[in-house]
Amino acid sequence: MIETIFKWTYRLLRSLGYNDTISIYGNLLVNIVLLLVIVFFVHAIFRRVLINIFNIIASRTKTKFDDFLVANKTAKYVAYLLPLYIIQEISPTVLEDFTKWEIFFEKGITIFMVFLIIFIFRSLLNSVRDYLKIKPSFSDKPIDSYIQVIMIVLWVFAFTSVILVLFDTSVTTLITTFGTISAIIILVFKDTILGFVASIQVSVNDLVRIGDWVTFEKFGADGDVIEINLATVKVQNFDMTTTTIPTYSLISDSFRNWRAMQNSGGRRIKRYILIKTSSVKFLSAEELEKLKQIQLVQSYIEHRQTDIDKFNQSKQIDKSIFINGRNMTNLGVFRKYINQYLEQHSGINKEMPLMCRHLQPTEKGIPIEIYAFCNDKRWVNYEYIMADIFDHLIAAIPYFGLEIFEFYSTTKQPEA
């Protein structure tokens, strides 16, 4: 039946008196046009049917996977299979008189089939990737890297198959040739190979997950990881810019991952106030009585002063000047006040380290540092709580007779 249809033009031309050569080439031209028309209509109808079927299934099922198949145009690529099969079956008849052409045509169909299978697999893998990303258990995994690794392997097989088809080469010969030019391959694909190795190490060692807050000063990155690929890691900075980091840099350079902090019981507050050295002094009895009015240190001053008085009396210390014996200082009482204040603050995690400490005095004064952990790790709330604490302490400093170190401007202020 098929042979009768595709020989009709040849018989017509011969009956009209054309020679055999013209009849053969005329028959070939008509048959190619006829084949293209058939393939075009078959592909158009089959594609429309497949897309409608996929859309109907996607709209009637609860799972999201088929929705991603539609979004990634899987039906579009599958629709090429039937036309390709028709071409493969009919082409020997169309090219019956052109044996050499038939060989090249078959190779072309095979190569097209290889790439079509790759695109179908890519569409399926992209659908799997998108589906897994909406699953909570996979939301922080570098799915893109895994998909890219699989795609690289598939493309290697695809190009290998194309070379085997084009040059009728055996697999053994091809592997030997690849071995000979392996140095060039490594040089050309160095970044890809390094990215591949780094991606595996990042995944196996769980160095970075999607959603992690990372700080990478070398690349100016400070924000959340939004994408992990084979070659790059994309970071959404807090200023809404995006930084792209080579994946290999995650294992070759040092960076900071804040995940452990986010999973812990609090976010650290580590900040100091510079106290003017000249404002630090011993406290007189009158000053101590005045400070007892501050409720947070009242009990401390009473017990501390009792112990100090007992010690000084037992040692017969001459208290005509403050430096003799044991004394309380305004800075010491202020440090105790800070500790008591933090112990009662609702925003501080009391089960984690909490202290107020002296740092090395500098030419700018004495740093009094707060080291504590805020129980609310959200950035905005954390900054609010920390600011609230330091607002209070800065305002409290004058009550203890202390001063904050400041650089005074020598520039004359404009008159009002």
Side-chain angles (χ1 to χ4, degrees), residues 202-380:
V202 166
S203 301
V204 171
N205 298 321
D206 197 21
L207 298 180
V208 176
R209 300 176 189 169
I210 293 175
D212 282 356
W213 169 20
V214 297
T215 303
F216 210 137
E217 295 180 359
K218 179 179 178 180
F219 296 95
D222 185 17
D224 298 327
V225 176
I226 58 174
E227 188 177 314
I228 302 177
N229 293 323
L230 190 63
T232 59
V233 174
K234 190 177 292 185
V235 178
Q236 174 95 49
N237 298 313
F238 294 129
D239 60 0
M240 294 298 111
T241 60
T242 302
T243 301
T244 302
I245 302 170
T247 307
Y248 183 70
S249 296
L250 296 179
I251 61 174
S252 63
D253 296 315
S254 176
F255 70 99
R256 180 177 294 180
N257 191 331
W258 296 84
R259 187 200 313 158
M261 179 276 294
Q262 293 173 326
N263 294 335
S264 69
R267 184 170 178 178
R268 187 180 68 175
I269 297 174
K270 186 175 181 290
R271 183 177 290 185
Y272 60 80
I273 301 173
L274 284 170
I275 302 297
K276 193 174 180 180
T277 308
S278 60
S279 67
V280 179
K281 64 180 181 179
F282 293 118
L283 293 170
S284 65
E286 293 78 11
E287 289 172 325
L288 286 172
E289 286 300 321
K290 186 177 180 181
L291 288 175
K292 284 181 183 179
Q293 298 176 18
I294 302 175
Q295 293 181 351
L296 289 180
V297 291
Q298 180 183 4
S299 177
Y300 166 76
I301 293 174
E302 290 174 350
H303 287 86
R304 182 69 173 162
Q305 188 60 40
T306 302
D307 293 339
I308 290 174
D309 289 342
K310 287 181 180 179
F311 175 84
N312 290 336
Q313 290 172 7
S314 66
K315 299 295 182 180
Q316 297 181 351
I317 302 296
D318 178 12
K319 293 303 295 178
S320 60
I321 58 174
F322 284 127
I323 195 172
N324 291 332
R326 295 171 60 183
N327 300 277
M328 279 191 285
T329 64
N330 56 350
L331 184 57
V333 176
F334 180 59
R335 286 191 292 108
K336 183 63 179 179
Y337 175 82
I338 293 175
N339 271 315
Q340 293 294 103
Y341 177 75
L342 294 177
E343 287 285 354
Q344 296 188 12
H345 199 289
S346 60
I348 298 297
N349 189 331
K350 315 305 185 300
E351 297 179 357
M352 300 186 75
L354 187 159
M355 61 179 169
C356 171
R357 61 175 182 168
H358 259 290
L359 297 182
Q360 175 69 35
T362 69
E363 70 278 4
K364 298 178 182 178
I366 304 172
I368 301 299
E369 183 182 75
I370 290 177
Y371 193 98
F373 287 82
C374 176
N375 55 23
D376 194 330
K377 293 170 286 186
R378 292 172 293 180
W379 187 21
V380 174

Side-chain angles (χ1 to χ4, degrees), residues 3-45:
E3 187 173 351
T4 303
I5 295 174
F6 285 95
K7 283 290 186 180
W8 175 80
T9 304
Y10 174 78
R11 291 193 297 272
L12 176 63
L13 292 174
R14 290 294 290 170
S15 65
L16 293 175
Y18 291 97
N19 59 37
D20 190 62
T21 303
I22 294 176
S23 299
I24 290 174
Y25 279 99
N27 184 66
L28 175 64
L29 179 62
V30 173
N31 287 342
I32 290 175
V33 173
L34 180 60
L35 180 60
L36 290 176
V37 171
I38 293 173
V39 168
F40 174 79
F41 280 104
V42 169
H43 174 258
I45 295 171

Side-chain angles (χ1 to χ4, degrees), residues 22-291:
I22 294 176
S23 299
I24 290 174
Y25 279 99
N27 184 66
L28 175 64
L29 179 62
V30 173
N31 287 342
I32 290 175
V33 173
L34 180 60
L35 180 60
L36 290 176
V37 171
I38 293 173
V39 168
F40 174 79
F41 280 104
V42 169
H43 174 258
I45 295 171
F46 190 52
R47 178 180 176 178
R48 176 62 61 184
V49 170
L50 270 182
I51 291 176
N52 288 336
I53 291 174
F54 271 68
N55 288 333
I56 292 171
I57 294 175
S59 62
R60 294 185 179 181
T61 56
K62 295 182 179 180
T63 179
K64 294 290 184 180
F65 181 71
D66 42 23
D67 296 327
F68 291 122
L69 288 176
V70 172
N72 287 291
K73 301 178 180 180
T74 306
K76 168 188 171 182
Y77 298 117
V78 175
Y80 283 102
L81 290 176
L82 182 58
L84 198 62
Y85 173 76
I86 293 174
I87 292 174
Q88 192 172 17
E89 289 297 316
I90 296 179
S91 60
T93 303
V94 174
L95 300 173
E96 183 180 0
D97 298 318
F98 301 88
T99 309
K100 292 183 180 181
W101 290 18
E102 184 178 353
I103 295 173
F104 289 109
F105 198 75
E106 288 178 354
K107 288 184 177 182
I109 292 175
T110 304
I111 292 172
F112 185 84
M113 178 68 77
V114 169
F115 285 110
L116 178 60
I117 292 173
I118 290 294
F119 280 106
I120 292 174
F121 269 105
R122 187 185 68 172
S123 175
L124 292 172
L125 289 173
N126 288 342
S127 301
V128 171
R129 177 200 63 194
D130 297 338
Y131 178 71
L132 292 178
K133 281 185 175 181
I134 65 173
K135 295 292 183 180
S137 56
F138 291 94
S139 60
D140 58 351
K141 299 296 186 296
I143 305 298
D144 291 299
S145 295
Y146 301 146
I147 298 299
Q148 287 178 340
V149 170
I150 296 173
M151 284 305 305
I152 287 175
V153 174
L154 290 177
W155 278 113
V156 168
F157 277 112
F159 283 113
T160 303
S161 302
V162 169
I163 293 173
L164 293 175
V165 171
L166 284 177
F167 302 102
D168 294 324
T169 308
S170 65
V171 177
T172 305
T173 304
L174 186 62
I175 293 174
T176 304
T177 305
F178 278 161
T180 306
I181 62 172
S182 58
I184 299 176
I185 294 175
I186 292 174
L187 182 63
V188 173
F189 295 99
K190 181 186 69 173
D191 293 337
T192 304
I193 295 171
L194 289 176
F196 173 70
V197 174
S199 181
I200 293 175
Q201 291 184 331
V202 166
S203 301
V204 171
N205 298 321
D206 197 21
L207 298 180
V208 176
R209 300 176 189 169
I210 293 175
D212 282 356
W213 169 20
V214 297
T215 303
F216 210 137
E217 295 180 359
K218 179 179 178 180
F219 296 95
D222 185 17
D224 298 327
V225 176
I226 58 174
E227 188 177 314
I228 302 177
N229 293 323
L230 190 63
T232 59
V233 174
K234 190 177 292 185
V235 178
Q236 174 95 49
N237 298 313
F238 294 129
D239 60 0
M240 294 298 111
T241 60
T242 302
T243 301
T244 302
I245 302 170
T247 307
Y248 183 70
S249 296
L250 296 179
I251 61 174
S252 63
D253 296 315
S254 176
F255 70 99
R256 180 177 294 180
N257 191 331
W258 296 84
R259 187 200 313 158
M261 179 276 294
Q262 293 173 326
N263 294 335
S264 69
R267 184 170 178 178
R268 187 180 68 175
I269 297 174
K270 186 175 181 290
R271 183 177 290 185
Y272 60 80
I273 301 173
L274 284 170
I275 302 297
K276 193 174 180 180
T277 308
S278 60
S279 67
V280 179
K281 64 180 181 179
F282 293 118
L283 293 170
S284 65
E286 293 78 11
E287 289 172 325
L288 286 172
E289 286 300 321
K290 186 177 180 181
L291 288 175

